[in-house]
Amino acid sequence: MSDRRFRFGVAGSPTTGEEWVKTVRQAADLGYSTVLMPDGLQLPAPFASLAMAAAVADIRVGTFVAAAPLRTPRQAAWEAHTLTVLTDGRFEFGIGTGRPVAEQQTAEIGLPWGTARERREQVIATLDLLRELDGERRTPIMLAAGGPKALALAAARADIVSIAKDATTPRSEVAAVARELRELAGSRADDIELAMNLLAAGTRPLPPWTKRASGVDPDELEAMDSLMLLRGTPQEMADELLRRRDQIGASYISVNSGYLEDFAPVIELLDGK
C-alpha cells in the first residue's frame, strides 16, 4: 500500500530539564528522526520544550499535537513559525481540535472551548496565519483526524496525518479510515505521510498508566491486538510494522519515551526500508 520509507519518533512527557535533555540526546543517538511533545497544562509547555530539544541535539522536533483551543490562532501560528525559523526548518507543527481533557484546561486559561465546528475553524485559521508568516519557508503540518470533516481537512492541508482513533479501534476500521483519507486527498495522496503512535513496545508487562492513556485494562489491551501496542522480539516488531505499512500505509511510527530503548533495535532492522 505504501512504499514510503519508515521514520521514527519519540513522544516525551518530561518532568525535569535533565530528564528531557537525556531523552532527546538518547533519541538522536539511537537513530530516531524526531522528538515529539504532547500539549496540556499538566506538562511543560510544548514550544519552549521543543526549542530546548532542537538546541541540544541535531534532531527534528514536533508538537504531537497542539490543542487549538489552548491558544488563539495568531498565537499558535506565531509560536510555530518561530520554531521553524529558529530550528532552520526542523520543526513539524502537529495541531488538532483538542482531546476532551483539554476543555477544562481551556477554561483554566480563560479561552472558550467552542463547538466542534468552531474548533476546526480555529485549526484552519491557525494554518492560514502560519502560511502567511512562513512565506517561502513552509512548516510541515501534522493533523490528527478521525471523523469525516477532520479527514477532509487533513486530506486538503496536511503533510502528515495521525489517525485519531482510540486504542480499541479494530485494525480493519483504521485501514478503512486510511483508505478514505487517500480517496479524499486525490492527487495529494502520495504526498501524505501516515503516522501511528505506540503506547508500548517490546515484551515488558504493560504499566498501570496504559489504562489511563487508553481507557482499557492492560490485559484487555493485549488481548484485542490494539494497534497502540507493538509486542514481541525486535524482529517480530519489525515484521509487524511492515504488515501495518502494507495494510494501512503507516510509515511514521512514534513510541512513548518510556520504551525508547526497547524499540531502538527495530529502527536498526528497518533502516532504509
Side-chain angles (χ1 to χ4, degrees), residues 223-236:
M224 67 177 58
D225 185 33
S226 172
L227 290 177
M228 287 193 177
L229 303 181
L230 188 68
R231 309 298 269 161
T233 66
Q235 187 61 59
E236 287 169 341

Side-chain angles (χ1 to χ4, degrees), residues 42-230:
Q42 77 280 11
L43 297 169
F47 294 99
S49 300
L50 294 172
M52 179 180 179
V56 301
D58 183 14
I59 196 166
R60 297 186 67 79
V61 298
T63 46
F64 190 73
V65 295
L70 289 177
R71 299 163 191 84
T72 66
R74 182 63 177 81
Q75 180 186 9
W78 175 43
E79 296 273 16
H81 174 68
T82 297
L83 270 182
T84 289
V85 171
L86 296 185
T87 64
D88 194 25
R90 285 185 287 142
F91 173 64
E92 298 169 2
F93 185 34
I95 185 170
T97 56
R99 299 174 61 196
V101 68
E103 182 172 3
Q104 176 58 39
Q105 296 183 351
T106 302
E108 287 182 43
I109 59 176
L111 288 174
W113 175 245
T115 64
R117 177 180 177 179
E118 288 168 337
R119 296 197 305 276
R120 272 195 312 276
E121 289 173 348
Q122 271 190 289
V123 172
I124 294 169
T126 301
L127 297 182
D128 289 344
L129 287 163
L130 178 56
R131 181 173 290 177
E132 290 179 21
L133 290 172
D134 278 348
E136 293 183 4
R137 182 198 290 268
R138 187 172 178 278
T139 302
I141 302 299
M142 170 189 277
L143 293 181
K149 293 178 180 177
L151 280 173
L153 174 59
R157 302 291 295 267
D159 302 289
I160 309 158
V161 176
S162 177
I163 294 179
K165 293 293 184 181
D166 63 33
T168 64
T169 305
R171 182 182 300 240
S172 59
E173 186 176 332
V174 174
V177 172
R179 286 194 299 272
E180 183 180 355
L181 172 69
R182 286 189 291 274
E183 289 169 5
L184 289 167
S187 62
R188 291 192 70 244
D190 290 342
D191 298 328
I192 295 175
E193 184 177 38
L194 204 60
M196 185 172 286
N197 184 52
L198 303 172
L199 286 178
T203 57
R204 283 190 287 141
L206 295 181
W209 60 257
T210 55
K211 181 174 182 178
R212 294 195 304 273
S214 66
V216 182
D217 284 327
D219 289 345
E220 292 179 48
L221 204 60
E222 292 265 22
M224 67 177 58
D225 185 33
S226 172
L227 290 177
M228 287 193 177
L229 303 181
L230 188 68

